[in-house]
């Protein structure tokens, strides 16, 4: 029996310029570029242990056998690793999430970043950061960004199939002077009713607003890079907020509508607007779920968190900062 095994830890990231929609589902190629901040909260720890060829793969999520879509996606990823390396061993994947799975809190980003790093190490695939990012993208596009700490941009690339695969990966962006806080308001930690994958497919196929948002996103990205380099919180926040609201507008215009925002989300958004009206720089972004992430300065984070607790009593509010990229650890 072989003893090849590796453990990796990765953190989720929150996109300020969003990825929504694929150009190629088989190769997991995003239709748009995206830009994100990897966080210092909610790590995922994944161990991949090889087992003799012929045994079934096993996938454990928080100690229990994974089921349905999650198990299927991990098994497809293992098949890809075997195809790449020419190895035939089975694998046991043991994943521990500290973030609720599938709640729009980027569990697939940290999950597939950790799986890519641990899987590559266990199967003996020698992958540098860009190659590891490409590999993680095959599991979940947002995972490509969690390979890196801090700010990262994920390129959509061009072309299709294997050519597109080469051009679509994330890389870090230097923004040494910009180190804000992200206040996370957890309104609902349950799994979403519509998966990101299904929601974005329906949006790209049926929403008359999708193309307009994707086009506007190119300008958003260029302006965002300038704002980041200048460490201009208000500019970064404004661009992030409009890009996120635009993404949700494309979903609302899908047929039938895809709606992740809840009444509580809008209540929190009102509280963010009230804070801004009162002079605090705070800007909201939402992903494929009702939860709200609020960008603000480190100095204002406690005030923003208190205001959000008052606006949405009983919800969990925590503050995140810039976090590290994926790393291998001693096997657990
Ligand atoms: C993002 N989201 O850029 C966007 C914004 C949600 C809204 O990436 O199908 O889990 O695995 O590539 O990455 C969530 O979608 O979807 C996501 P797949 P993923 O962070």
């Amino acid at each position: 029996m072989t003893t090849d095994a590796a453990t990796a830890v990765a953190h989720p990231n929150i996109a300020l310029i969003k990825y929504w929609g694929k150009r190629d589902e088989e190769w997991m190629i995003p239709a748009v570029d995206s830009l994100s901040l990897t966080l210092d909260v909610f790590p995922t720890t994944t161990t991949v242990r090889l087992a003799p060829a012929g045994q079934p793969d096993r996938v454990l999520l928080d100690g229990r056998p994974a089921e349905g879509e999650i198990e299927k996606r991990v098994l497809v990823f293992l098949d890809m690793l075997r195809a790449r390396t020419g190895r035939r061993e089975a694998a046991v994947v043991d994943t521990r999430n500290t973030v609720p799975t599938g709640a729009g809190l980027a569990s697939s980003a940290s999950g597939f970043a950790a799986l890519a790093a641990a899987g590559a190490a266990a199967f003996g695939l020698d992958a540098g950061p860009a190659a590891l990012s490409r590999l993680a993208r095959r599991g979940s596009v947002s995972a490509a960004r969690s390979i890196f700490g801090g700010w990262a941009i994920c390129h959509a690339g061009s072309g299709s199939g294997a050519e597109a695969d080469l051009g679509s990966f994330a890389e870090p962006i230097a923004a040494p002077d910009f180190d804000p806080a992200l206040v996370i308001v957890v309104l609902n930690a349950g799994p979403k009713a519509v998966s990101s994958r299904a929601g974005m497919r329906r949006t790209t196929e049926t929403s008359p607003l999708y193309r307009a948002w994707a086009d506007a996103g190119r300008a958003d990205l260029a302006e965002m890079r300038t704002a980041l380099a200048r460490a201009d919180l208000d500019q970064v926040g404004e661009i992030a907020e409009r890009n996120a609201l635009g993404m949700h507008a494309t979903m609302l215009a899908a047929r039938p509508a895809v709606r992740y925002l809840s009444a509580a989300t809008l209540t929190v958004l009102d509280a963010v607007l009230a804070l801004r009206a009162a002079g605090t720089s705070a800007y909201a972004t939402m992903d494929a779920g009702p939860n709200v992430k609020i960008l603000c300065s480190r100095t204002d984070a406690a005030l923003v968190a208190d205001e959000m607790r008052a606006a949405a009593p009983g919800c969990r509010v925590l503050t995140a900062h810039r976090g590290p990229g994926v790393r291998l650890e001693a096997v657990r």
Side-chain angles (χ1 to χ4, degrees):
M1 175 161 170
T2 168
T3 53
D4 299 63
T7 297
V9 179
H11 289 74
N13 67 77
I14 297 300
L16 298 190
I17 301 291
K18 304 292 189 191
Y19 141 62
W20 194 250
K22 294 182 183 68
R23 202 165 75 240
D24 181 332
E25 278 205 18
E26 189 198 336
W27 284 84
M28 297 286 285
I29 310 292
V32 293
D33 296 337
S34 56
L35 184 150
S36 63
L37 178 66
T38 298
L39 306 181
D40 61 350
V41 295
F42 297 147
T44 296
T45 304
T46 295
T47 298
V48 175
R49 222 175 276 279
L50 301 193
Q55 285 193 6
D57 292 321
R58 282 176 60 213
V59 184
L60 299 169
L61 180 59
D62 296 324
R64 271 177 250 121
E67 292 170 351
E69 202 51 34
I70 295 179
E71 184 193 23
K72 201 173 110 196
R73 286 173 66 172
V74 174
L75 296 180
V76 166
F77 195 89
L78 292 173
D79 284 341
M80 184 190 62
L81 277 174
R82 281 186 285 258
R84 284 269 180 101
T85 54
R87 293 182 68 156
R88 296 175 49 245
E89 289 96 328
V92 180
V93 175
D94 186 346
T95 288
R96 313 265 160 178
N97 263 340
T98 53
V99 54
T101 304
L105 290 168
S107 57
S108 76
S110 53
F112 278 102
L115 178 59
F123 278 98
L125 186 68
D126 187 15
L132 205 52
S133 175
R134 243 182 245 120
L135 191 67
R137 196 205 72 236
R138 299 291 296 273
S140 184
V141 171
S142 53
R145 304 184 307 239
S146 274
I147 297 302
F148 303 100
W151 302 98
I153 184 170
C154 182
H155 305 288
S158 60
S160 58
E163 181 202 342
D165 180 54
L166 276 180
S168 184
F169 57 91
E171 60 186 342
I173 305 178
D177 302 329
F178 193 49
D179 191 14
L182 204 66
V183 174
I184 303 175
V185 186
V186 184
L187 295 166
N188 183 348
K192 52 195 148 204
V194 181
S195 71
S196 298
R197 193 157 294 193
M200 67 178 79
R201 186 185 301 140
R202 195 193 298 167
T203 306
T204 53
E205 287 175 356
T206 71
S207 175
L209 303 190
Y210 180 75
R211 191 36 55 200
W213 172 76
D215 289 345
R218 275 192 284 277
D220 284 348
L221 180 65
E223 287 180 41
M224 178 65 90
R225 295 193 71 152
T226 307
L228 272 181
R230 288 197 191 128
D232 184 337
L233 173 64
D234 287 301
Q235 206 37 37
V236 169
E238 263 176 44
I239 300 165
E241 199 174 274
R242 76 182 185 219
N243 183 269
L245 289 171
M247 176 187 71
H248 286 280
T250 70
M251 299 182 203
L252 292 171
R255 300 166 187 187
V258 178
R259 183 167 65 86
Y260 293 112
L261 310 182
S262 68
T265 308
L266 298 184
T267 301
V268 170
L269 287 181
D270 276 347
V272 172
L273 283 182
L275 265 173
R276 273 218 301 276
T280 302
S281 293
Y283 298 87
T285 185
M286 292 78 62
D287 295 292
N291 308 310
V292 185
K293 297 95 182 180
I294 302 159
L295 186 75
C296 61
S297 71
R298 283 184 176 243
T299 335
D300 288 336
L303 166 75
V304 171
D306 283 348
E307 290 295 320
M308 297 309 128
R309 284 191 191 96
C315 66
R316 185 175 172 205
V317 178
L318 68 156
T319 300
H321 304 104
R322 181 158 75 183
V326 71
R327 61 175 185 267
L328 291 171
E329 288 204 336
V331 174
R332 295 195 188 167

